[in-house]
């Protein structure tokens, strides 16, 4: 039991899975729907062991404890928790009304949408004191943001914010990705003339192959894409720019895999220029 606890506390998510997430087109993460966790027993085990102080150093370590440990989650939320919609205070959630929020634990992956490689590595920065976990509802055209700040050395959720997807800093890319994930023909039209790639070697489980493909070869090389239903995105630090480049990273939970796609605006449209799978 102790070993299980240490494993869950220490695990770092890298990779993606081909398992499709459950449909979740309802805005309920501010506790409007009762919690029906299938992992109550495991979470109870975790709840019995205090989170190591070192887990507050990196947000990635903290959020996995936060998403699995009921007691910790309640202690690390600033109640009454303000909920904003379109920049205006809508309500405040009292502690007695809060239901467990599991974030991306049920999907088995989360994403990073970065403007450059420096942003991509910010999750390893121990000086970061502000993180936003975004729950993106593609079909509802809405983004729910969970705001975290490090206060006196401890990560705490300080507010929730709802905003229209078109006002999000990644609005143009999100609209594009929803179409890209669902339409193979559109994927091929959304590729640069030549696309760099790195992929597992089908003849050697321990090696990768690298090269360049043209759009016509995409069906033979394309990685597994997560659908544009509901995804979670983690934004480290403060970033308000709207870039013409997006690095889209899909990281699975505790399976050691990772997939990355690099897109740029070329001729006024998003184009895939590189991918690693």
């Amino acid at each position: 039991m102790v070993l299980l606890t240490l494993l869950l506390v220490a695990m770092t998510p890298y990779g993606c899975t081909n398992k499709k997430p459950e449909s979740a087109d309802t805005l309920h993460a501010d506790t409007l729907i009762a919690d029906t966790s299938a992992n109550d027993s495991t979470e109870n085990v975790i709840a019995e062991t205090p989170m190591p102080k070192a887990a507050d150093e990196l947000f990635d370590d903290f959020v996995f404890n936060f998403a699995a440990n009921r007691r910790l989650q309640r202690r690390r939320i600033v109640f009454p928790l303000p909920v904003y919609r379109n920049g205006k205070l809508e309500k405040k959630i009292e502690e007695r009304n809060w239901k467990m929020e599991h974030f991306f634990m049920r999907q088995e992956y989360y994403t990073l949408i970065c403007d450059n490689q420096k942003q991509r590595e910010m999750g390893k920065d121990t000086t970061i004191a502000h993180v936003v976990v975004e729950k993106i509802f593609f079909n509802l055209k809405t983004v729910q943001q969970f705001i975290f700040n490090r206060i006196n050395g401890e990560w705490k959720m300080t507010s929730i914010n709802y905003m229209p997807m078109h006002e999000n800093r990644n609005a143009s890319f999100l609209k594009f990705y929803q179409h890209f994930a669902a339409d193979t023909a559109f994927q091929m039209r959304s590729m640069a003339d030549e696309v760099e790639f790195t992929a597992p070697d089908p003849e050697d489980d321990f090696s990768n192959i690298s090269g360049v493909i043209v759009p016509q070869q995409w069906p033979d090389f394309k990685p597994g894409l997560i659908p544009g239903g509901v995804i979670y995105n983690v934004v480290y630090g403060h970033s308000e720019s709207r870039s013409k480049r997006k690095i889209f990273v899909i990281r699975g939970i505790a399976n050691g895999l990772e997939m990355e796609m690099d897109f740029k605006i070329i001729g006024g449209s998003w184009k895939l220029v590189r991918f690693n799978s």
Side-chain angles (χ1 to χ4, degrees):
M1 189 171 291
V2 172
L3 180 60
L4 172 62
T5 301
L6 293 175
L7 175 62
L8 290 172
V9 168
M11 68 181 181
T12 302
Y14 293 99
C16 59
T17 69
N18 291 325
K19 179 180 178 181
K20 292 185 179 180
E22 298 176 359
S23 177
D25 290 339
T26 303
L27 296 174
H28 62 269
D30 61 355
T31 75
L32 297 181
I33 291 180
D35 174 44
T36 57
S37 172
N39 301 314
D40 283 350
S41 59
T42 300
E43 290 167 7
N44 288 337
V45 172
I46 298 174
E48 293 301 321
T49 303
M51 183 182 75
K53 179 63 178 177
D56 270 314
E57 292 295 315
L58 291 174
F59 181 80
D60 285 2
D61 294 338
F62 161 76
V63 75
F64 275 83
N65 284 271
F66 184 86
N69 188 321
R70 296 172 185 272
R71 296 178 186 178
L72 174 69
Q73 186 166 121
R74 287 181 177 273
R75 290 198 302 267
R76 292 301 186 90
I77 296 175
V78 179
F79 292 110
L81 183 69
V83 178
Y84 297 90
R85 191 175 297 274
N86 301 324
K88 297 182 179 180
L89 180 65
E90 182 177 78
K91 63 181 177 180
K92 291 186 177 182
I93 302 175
E94 299 290 343
E95 182 175 1
R96 66 179 179 273
N97 296 324
W98 180 258
K99 297 292 190 289
M100 183 73 173
E101 172 56 58
H102 296 281
F103 296 104
F104 38 74
M105 298 295 286
R106 301 299 172 80
Q107 285 191 333
E108 300 185 359
Y109 63 84
Y110 71 95
T111 68
L112 298 176
I113 304 175
C114 312
D115 297 337
N116 49 57
Q117 288 294 337
K118 182 179 179 180
Q119 277 188 10
R120 187 186 184 286
E121 300 300 320
M122 287 182 70
K124 302 176 184 178
D125 188 345
T126 59
T127 67
I128 295 294
H130 176 82
V131 173
V132 179
V133 178
E134 296 184 323
K135 188 174 186 179
I136 300 166
F137 298 84
F138 283 100
N139 294 336
L140 298 177
K141 310 298 183 187
T142 299
V143 177
Q144 183 181 23
Q145 298 177 320
F146 300 88
I147 315 300
F148 291 86
N149 291 287
R150 186 156 29 195
I151 302 172
N152 296 325
E154 295 184 340
W155 283 105
K156 295 188 176 182
M157 185 195 293
T158 56
S159 64
I160 293 175
N161 179 55
Y162 291 94
M163 66 189 305
M165 196 168 73
H166 71 263
E167 293 183 2
N168 187 266
R169 61 183 296 274
N170 292 315
S172 172
F173 178 76
L174 291 174
K175 180 179 179 180
F176 159 80
Y177 183 78
Q178 184 179 21
H179 190 182
F180 184 85
D183 188 335
T184 300
F186 181 70
Q187 292 165 14
M188 295 174 66
R189 296 197 301 271
S190 301
M191 297 176 65
D193 293 340
E194 293 185 342
V195 177
E196 299 177 11
F197 80 96
T198 301
D201 188 339
E203 298 181 357
D204 186 346
D205 293 339
F206 301 98
S207 299
N208 291 325
I209 56 174
S210 299
V212 175
I213 65 171
V214 296
Q216 291 77 11
Q217 296 174 292
W218 174 249
D220 297 325
F221 288 88
K222 79 171 189 175
L225 302 176
I226 59 175
V230 176
I231 65 171
Y232 288 86
N233 179 48
V234 182
V235 182
Y236 302 97
H238 296 273
S239 183
E240 301 298 335
S241 65
R242 298 200 177 197
S243 172
K244 293 185 177 181
R245 179 190 181 189
K246 296 297 176 185
I247 301 174
F248 187 71
V249 181
I250 303 171
R251 286 180 174 168
I253 297 175
N255 60 16
L257 301 176
E258 181 164 310
M259 194 267 282
E260 176 180 317
M261 293 183 289
D262 196 343
F263 297 87
K264 294 182 180 180
I265 291 182
I266 300 174
S269 301
W270 287 105
K271 300 289 185 180
L272 177 68
V273 296
R274 179 184 61 85
F275 69 91
N276 296 330
S277 62

